[in-house]
Amino acid sequence: MGIKIALAGNPNSGKTTLFNGLTGSNQFVGNWPGVTVEKKEGKLKSNKEVVIMDLPGIYSLSPYTLEEVTARNYLITERPDAILNIVDGTNLERNLYLTTQLMELGIPVIMAVNMMDVVKKSGDAIDTRKLGEKLGCAVVAISALRGEGIEEAAGKAVKAAQSRQPAMPVHEFSQEVEAVLDEIESMLGGDIPEEQKRFYAVKLFERDDKIAEQMKHVPDIFSIIEKAEKDMDDDSESIITNERYDYITSIIGESLTKANKEKLSTS
Ligand code: BGO
C-alpha cells in the first residue's frame, strides 16, 4: 500500500516550490470535492510509492475560511500517514501557530523550515534541534528554491509515516485549561480514536460548530465552557489562542537568534 503525506503550511511559505521540487512532473491537479479550491497531488520523484497531497495554504485550522475547512476536513477524515509542515523561517512566529494545531491531530508531523538561504543571509540563526524539542517533532532546515534539504525532509516524513507514531505534542496549556480538556476528552464517544481526542476537545471547547456537526455523539459541555470562561474571564476561543501565542513566544525565545538583537534593544 502506498504512503500518503500531506503538505501543509501558510500561504507564501514556499509550499508550491517544495511540492514541485519533490514531485517534478508527476502531478495531478483537480478540485477538492464540492469546492473550487485547487487540489494537487503528486508522486515523490525519489519514491513512486509515496503520494504528496498539497493542502491549501492556511494560517490555522479554524472554521473561518474555505481553505481552512477544506484542509482540516482532509486531515481529520482522510488521515494522511504523515504531515510535512513547511514553515517560513523568516516568519517563524506567525507560521508556528498552524504547527501547534497540526501537532494535536494525532498524525505524525515533520517540520521543514524553509527559506533558510534568506535566514542565513540575514545573519539570523534557527536552532532546529531546540525547535524540534520544544514542539515534539523532527525539524529539517531547507531551501525549497535551491532544492537543499528537501529530500531529507521527504525522507523523514516517509519514515515518520511508516513508524505510525502519532505526533506527541510537548505543549501543555495552563493547568486550568488542561483540566477542562481532560474533562471534555473523557466525555467523547468511542467513535473518536484516542489519538484524535485532544484535537476534538480543543475544538469543542472553542465552540467550533463545524466540528460538532461531524461527530456522532456531541457531549454536552455548555456548562463546562461557561464555567471556564467565568473563571478565566475570557471567551474560550481567546483563551486557547492566547495560550498558543504564549507557547510560541517561549519557543521563539529559545530557538531563534536575531542578528540585529543588540541594535534593536538599544535603539
Ligand atoms: C516568488 N528561498 C527563497 N529565497 N525563496 C523561496 C524559497 C526559498 O527556500 N522557497 C520559496 N521561495 P511559493 P506558497 C517571487 O514567487 O512556493 C519563494 O504560496 C517572485 N515571483 O520563489 O509560491 C518562491 O505555495 C518574484 O517567490 O509559496 C516564491 O506557499 C520575486 O517564495 C515565494 C520574488 O513561494 C513563495 C519572489 C514572481
Side-chain angles (χ1 to χ4, degrees):
M1 254 220 344
I3 289 174
K4 258 199 178 147
I5 294 172
L7 184 57
N10 287 189
N12 278 321
S13 57
K15 216 156 51 60
T16 308
T17 310
L18 177 59
F19 181 76
N20 290 342
L22 290 177
T23 64
S25 52
N26 299 300
Q27 294 185 8
F28 312 89
V29 183
N31 279 335
W32 292 91
V35 292
T36 54
V37 178
E38 187 181 77
K39 177 181 185 176
K40 276 193 303 187
E41 57 179 274
K43 288 184 178 156
L44 197 61
K45 271 195 282 191
S46 54
N47 183 349
K48 299 284 189 300
E49 297 290 298
V50 179
V51 171
I52 310 278
M53 291 292 313
D54 186 31
L55 300 185
I58 48 171
Y59 295 106
S60 105
L61 295 181
S62 45
Y64 301 123
T65 70
L66 200 54
E67 285 78 10
E68 287 169 350
V69 174
T70 304
R72 74 180 199 177
N73 281 351
Y74 174 78
L75 292 169
I76 303 167
T77 57
E78 301 292 320
R79 311 292 296 163
D81 300 300
I83 298 170
L84 179 54
N85 173 211
I86 177 168
V87 302
D88 176 355
T90 68
N91 210 337
L92 264 190
E93 190 156 2
R94 186 208 270 174
N95 280 245
L96 289 180
Y97 191 79
L98 175 66
T99 308
T100 65
Q101 295 187 314
L102 295 174
M103 290 295 296
E104 289 164 4
L105 285 163
I107 299 172
V109 175
I110 295 291
M111 183 159 142
V113 184
N114 191 31
M115 315 267 181
M116 282 309 286
D117 55 310
V118 185
V119 173
K120 281 185 189 143
K121 209 168 161 194
S122 71
D124 293 351
I126 295 172
D127 184 340
T128 50
R129 195 188 53 81
K130 193 83 206 170
L131 197 53
E133 238 171 56
K134 295 280 290 181
L135 285 162
C137 66
V139 177
V140 183
I142 70 166
S143 169
L145 190 67
R146 297 181 179 183
E148 289 165 3
I150 69 171
E151 282 305 326
E152 186 192 349
K156 286 217 159 112
V158 172
K159 278 229 171 71
Q162 286 165 336
S163 81
R164 308 211 155 269
Q165 287 291 316
M168 282 297 184
V170 175
H171 175 230
E172 287 189 357
F173 291 96
S174 63
Q175 267 179 13
E176 275 167 304
V177 172
E178 285 293 337
V180 173
L181 294 178
D182 276 352
E183 199 176 347
I184 298 174
E185 279 189 39
S186 71
M187 295 164 79
L188 292 174
D191 55 320
I192 307 291
E194 204 56 41
E195 71 273 14
Q196 296 184 44
K197 285 192 168 161
R198 188 171 181 88
F199 175 79
Y200 278 91
V202 171
K203 288 290 160 206
L204 289 177
F205 180 59
E206 289 179 318
R207 293 196 178 83
D208 191 322
D209 293 338
K210 283 206 172 69
I211 289 293
E213 279 164 24
Q214 295 179 350
M215 297 171 65
K216 278 200 200 108
H217 312 281
V218 184
D220 179 11
I221 56 168
F222 183 76
S223 57
I224 298 176
I225 300 177
E226 294 265 290
K227 183 175 181 307
E229 290 181 326
K230 214 168 150 217
D231 290 348
M232 289 178 251
D233 195 25
D234 208 346
D235 68 279
S236 63
E237 200 178 351
S238 303
I239 292 169
I240 294 289
T241 303
N242 291 337
E243 292 200 7
R244 280 195 203 284
Y245 277 118
D246 290 345
Y247 168 46
I248 290 166
T249 303
S250 83
I251 298 176
I252 298 282
E254 289 192 44
S255 54
L256 174 67
T257 311
K258 298 287 275 183
N260 58 358
K261 202 164 72 184
E262 272 85 40
K263 267 186 250 160
L264 277 178
S265 58
T266 51
S267 61

PDB file of all heavy atoms in Angstrom, residues 165-181:
ATOM      1  N   GLN A 165       3.807   6.480  14.346  1.00  0.00           N
ATOM      2  CA  GLN A 165       3.826   7.092  15.684  1.00  0.00           C
ATOM      3  C   GLN A 165       3.209   8.484  15.602  1.00  0.00           C
ATOM      4  O   GLN A 165       3.819   9.382  15.053  1.00  0.00           O
ATOM      5  CB  GLN A 165       5.279   7.246  16.175  1.00  0.00           C
ATOM      6  CG  GLN A 165       5.946   5.950  16.572  1.00  0.00           C
ATOM      7  CD  GLN A 165       5.326   5.380  17.831  1.00  0.00           C
ATOM      8  OE1 GLN A 165       5.077   6.091  18.792  1.00  0.00           O
ATOM      9  NE2 GLN A 165       5.053   4.081  17.821  1.00  0.00           N
ATOM     10  N   PRO A 166       1.994   8.664  16.144  1.00  0.00           N
ATOM     11  CA  PRO A 166       1.396   9.992  16.064  1.00  0.00           C
ATOM     12  C   PRO A 166       2.253  11.044  16.766  1.00  0.00           C
ATOM     13  O   PRO A 166       3.007  10.712  17.686  1.00  0.00           O
ATOM     14  CB  PRO A 166       0.051   9.844  16.775  1.00  0.00           C
ATOM     15  CG  PRO A 166       0.010   8.493  17.368  1.00  0.00           C
ATOM     16  CD  PRO A 166       1.153   7.702  16.851  1.00  0.00           C
ATOM     17  N   ALA A 167       2.164  12.284  16.298  1.00  0.00           N
ATOM     18  CA  ALA A 167       2.903  13.367  16.938  1.00  0.00           C
ATOM     19  C   ALA A 167       2.530  13.422  18.412  1.00  0.00           C
ATOM     20  O   ALA A 167       1.375  13.231  18.778  1.00  0.00           O
ATOM     21  CB  ALA A 167       2.562  14.684  16.248  1.00  0.00           C
ATOM     22  N   MET A 168       3.531  13.635  19.242  1.00  0.00           N
ATOM     23  CA  MET A 168       3.303  13.752  20.679  1.00  0.00           C
ATOM     24  C   MET A 168       3.608  15.183  21.091  1.00  0.00           C
ATOM     25  O   MET A 168       4.765  15.508  21.369  1.00  0.00           O
ATOM     26  CB  MET A 168       4.242  12.799  21.435  1.00  0.00           C
ATOM     27  CG  MET A 168       3.765  11.383  21.398  1.00  0.00           C
ATOM     28  SD  MET A 168       2.174  11.312  22.256  1.00  0.00           S
ATOM     29  CE  MET A 168       1.852   9.586  22.212  1.00  0.00           C
ATOM     30  N   PRO A 169       2.594  16.044  21.090  1.00  0.00           N
ATOM     31  CA  PRO A 169       2.895  17.436  21.400  1.00  0.00           C
ATOM     32  C   PRO A 169       3.499  17.582  22.792  1.00  0.00           C
ATOM     33  O   PRO A 169       3.062  16.938  23.738  1.00  0.00           O
ATOM     34  CB  PRO A 169       1.541  18.138  21.304  1.00  0.00           C
ATOM     35  CG  PRO A 169       0.511  17.081  21.207  1.00  0.00           C
ATOM     36  CD  PRO A 169       1.180  15.799  20.840  1.00  0.00           C
ATOM     37  N   VAL A 170       4.539  18.401  22.872  1.00  0.00           N
ATOM     38  CA  VAL A 170       5.184  18.682  24.153  1.00  0.00           C
ATOM     39  C   VAL A 170       4.343  19.712  24.907  1.00  0.00           C
ATOM     40  O   VAL A 170       4.313  19.757  26.127  1.00  0.00           O
ATOM     41  CB  VAL A 170       6.602  19.263  23.888  1.00  0.00           C
ATOM     42  CG1 VAL A 170       7.268  19.695  25.177  1.00  0.00           C
ATOM     43  CG2 VAL A 170       7.455  18.245  23.153  1.00  0.00           C
ATOM     44  N   HIS A 171       3.658  20.517  24.116  1.00  0.00           N
ATOM     45  CA  HIS A 171       2.933  21.654  24.695  1.00  0.00           C
ATOM     46  C   HIS A 171       1.799  21.236  25.617  1.00  0.00           C
ATOM     47  O   HIS A 171       1.039  20.332  25.309  1.00  0.00           O
ATOM     48  CB  HIS A 171       2.358  22.495  23.557  1.00  0.00           C
ATOM     49  CG  HIS A 171       1.503  23.623  24.030  1.00  0.00           C
ATOM     50  ND1 HIS A 171       0.252  23.871  23.540  1.00  0.00           N
ATOM     51  CD2 HIS A 171       1.718  24.561  24.982  1.00  0.00           C
ATOM     52  CE1 HIS A 171      -0.253  24.924  24.148  1.00  0.00           C
ATOM     53  NE2 HIS A 171       0.612  25.358  25.026  1.00  0.00           N
ATOM     54  N   GLU A 172       1.726  21.919  26.738  1.00  0.00           N
ATOM     55  CA  GLU A 172       0.535  21.790  27.576  1.00  0.00           C
ATOM     56  C   GLU A 172      -0.041  23.178  27.773  1.00  0.00           C
ATOM     57  O   GLU A 172       0.697  24.146  27.936  1.00  0.00           O
ATOM     58  CB  GLU A 172       0.909  21.174  28.923  1.00  0.00           C
ATOM     59  CG  GLU A 172       1.210  19.702  28.770  1.00  0.00           C
ATOM     60  CD  GLU A 172       1.376  18.996  30.097  1.00  0.00           C
ATOM     61  OE1 GLU A 172       1.306  19.672  31.156  1.00  0.00           O
ATOM     62  OE2 GLU A 172       1.576  17.779  30.067  1.00  0.00           O
ATOM     63  N   PHE A 173      -1.349  23.265  27.754  1.00  0.00           N
ATOM     64  CA  PHE A 173      -2.000  24.532  28.072  1.00  0.00           C
ATOM     65  C   PHE A 173      -1.870  24.742  29.584  1.00  0.00           C
ATOM     66  O   PHE A 173      -1.289  23.904  30.293  1.00  0.00           O
ATOM     67  CB  PHE A 173      -3.470  24.481  27.640  1.00  0.00           C
ATOM     68  CG  PHE A 173      -3.658  24.453  26.138  1.00  0.00           C
ATOM     69  CD1 PHE A 173      -3.833  23.252  25.460  1.00  0.00           C
ATOM     70  CD2 PHE A 173      -3.645  25.632  25.399  1.00  0.00           C
ATOM     71  CE1 PHE A 173      -3.990  23.218  24.075  1.00  0.00           C
ATOM     72  CE2 PHE A 173      -3.808  25.616  24.017  1.00  0.00           C
ATOM     73  CZ  PHE A 173      -3.979  24.407  23.361  1.00  0.00           C
ATOM     74  N   SER A 174      -2.413  25.835  30.092  1.00  0.00           N
ATOM     75  CA  SER A 174      -2.346  26.081  31.535  1.00  0.00           C
ATOM     76  C   SER A 174      -3.082  24.953  32.266  1.00  0.00           C
ATOM     77  O   SER A 174      -3.904  24.244  31.660  1.00  0.00           O
ATOM     78  CB  SER A 174      -2.994  27.418  31.862  1.00  0.00           C
ATOM     79  OG  SER A 174      -4.371  27.354  31.521  1.00  0.00           O
ATOM     80  N   GLN A 175      -2.789  24.813  33.543  1.00  0.00           N
ATOM     81  CA  GLN A 175      -3.425  23.746  34.333  1.00  0.00           C
ATOM     82  C   GLN A 175      -4.948  23.810  34.257  1.00  0.00           C
ATOM     83  O   GLN A 175      -5.621  22.785  34.138  1.00  0.00           O
ATOM     84  CB  GLN A 175      -3.012  23.875  35.793  1.00  0.00           C
ATOM     85  CG  GLN A 175      -1.791  23.042  36.114  1.00  0.00           C
ATOM     86  CD  GLN A 175      -1.367  23.180  37.568  1.00  0.00           C
ATOM     87  OE1 GLN A 175      -2.109  23.713  38.396  1.00  0.00           O
ATOM     88  NE2 GLN A 175      -0.184  22.701  37.851  1.00  0.00           N
ATOM     89  N   GLU A 176      -5.463  25.030  34.335  1.00  0.00           N
ATOM     90  CA  GLU A 176      -6.930  25.196  34.300  1.00  0.00           C
ATOM     91  C   GLU A 176      -7.499  24.668  32.989  1.00  0.00           C
ATOM     92  O   GLU A 176      -8.493  23.948  32.970  1.00  0.00           O
ATOM     93  CB  GLU A 176      -7.276  26.683  34.393  1.00  0.00           C
ATOM     94  CG  GLU A 176      -7.348  27.231  35.790  1.00  0.00           C
ATOM     95  CD  GLU A 176      -7.376  28.752  35.760  1.00  0.00           C
ATOM     96  OE1 GLU A 176      -6.442  29.344  35.158  1.00  0.00           O
ATOM     97  OE2 GLU A 176      -8.325  29.329  36.319  1.00  0.00           O
ATOM     98  N   VAL A 177      -6.839  25.041  31.863  1.00  0.00           N
ATOM     99  CA  VAL A 177      -7.332  24.621  30.555  1.00  0.00           C
ATOM    100  C   VAL A 177      -7.155  23.114  30.388  1.00  0.00           C
ATOM    101  O   VAL A 177      -8.060  22.427  29.892  1.00  0.00           O
ATOM    102  CB  VAL A 177      -6.618  25.396  29.415  1.00  0.00           C
ATOM    103  CG1 VAL A 177      -6.985  24.831  28.058  1.00  0.00           C
ATOM    104  CG2 VAL A 177      -6.980  26.876  29.477  1.00  0.00           C
ATOM    105  N   GLU A 178      -6.000  22.600  30.819  1.00  0.00           N
ATOM    106  CA  GLU A 178      -5.767  21.152  30.702  1.00  0.00           C
ATOM    107  C   GLU A 178      -6.841  20.358  31.453  1.00  0.00           C
ATOM    108  O   GLU A 178      -7.307  19.320  30.979  1.00  0.00           O
ATOM    109  CB  GLU A 178      -4.373  20.768  31.226  1.00  0.00           C
ATOM    110  CG  GLU A 178      -3.221  21.141  30.284  1.00  0.00           C
ATOM    111  CD  GLU A 178      -3.202  20.368  28.969  1.00  0.00           C
ATOM    112  OE1 GLU A 178      -3.764  19.271  28.896  1.00  0.00           O
ATOM    113  OE2 GLU A 178      -2.626  20.893  28.000  1.00  0.00           O
ATOM    114  N   ALA A 179      -7.240  20.860  32.613  1.00  0.00           N
ATOM    115  CA  ALA A 179      -8.263  20.159  33.401  1.00  0.00           C
ATOM    116  C   ALA A 179      -9.587  20.111  32.632  1.00  0.00           C
ATOM    117  O   ALA A 179     -10.274  19.086  32.587  1.00  0.00           O
ATOM    118  CB  ALA A 179      -8.445  20.848  34.752  1.00  0.00           C
ATOM    119  N   VAL A 180      -9.917  21.232  31.986  1.00  0.00           N
ATOM    120  CA  VAL A 180     -11.149  21.294  31.200  1.00  0.00           C
ATOM    121  C   VAL A 180     -11.065  20.349  29.994  1.00  0.00           C
ATOM    122  O   VAL A 180     -12.000  19.605  29.695  1.00  0.00           O
ATOM    123  CB  VAL A 180     -11.421  22.750  30.720  1.00  0.00           C
ATOM    124  CG1 VAL A 180     -12.587  22.792  29.762  1.00  0.00           C
ATOM    125  CG2 VAL A 180     -11.666  23.665  31.904  1.00  0.00           C
ATOM    126  N   LEU A 181      -9.905  20.363  29.305  1.00  0.00           N
ATOM    127  CA  LEU A 181      -9.743  19.498  28.128  1.00  0.00           C
ATOM    128  C   LEU A 181      -9.832  18.027  28.528  1.00  0.00           C
ATOM    129  O   LEU A 181     -10.455  17.222  27.828  1.00  0.00           O
ATOM    130  CB  LEU A 181      -8.411  19.784  27.417  1.00  0.00           C
ATOM    131  CG  LEU A 181      -8.268  21.166  26.769  1.00  0.00           C
ATOM    132  CD1 LEU A 181      -6.887  21.340  26.148  1.00  0.00           C
ATOM    133  CD2 LEU A 181      -9.349  21.410  25.705  1.00  0.00           C
TER     134      LEU A 181
END
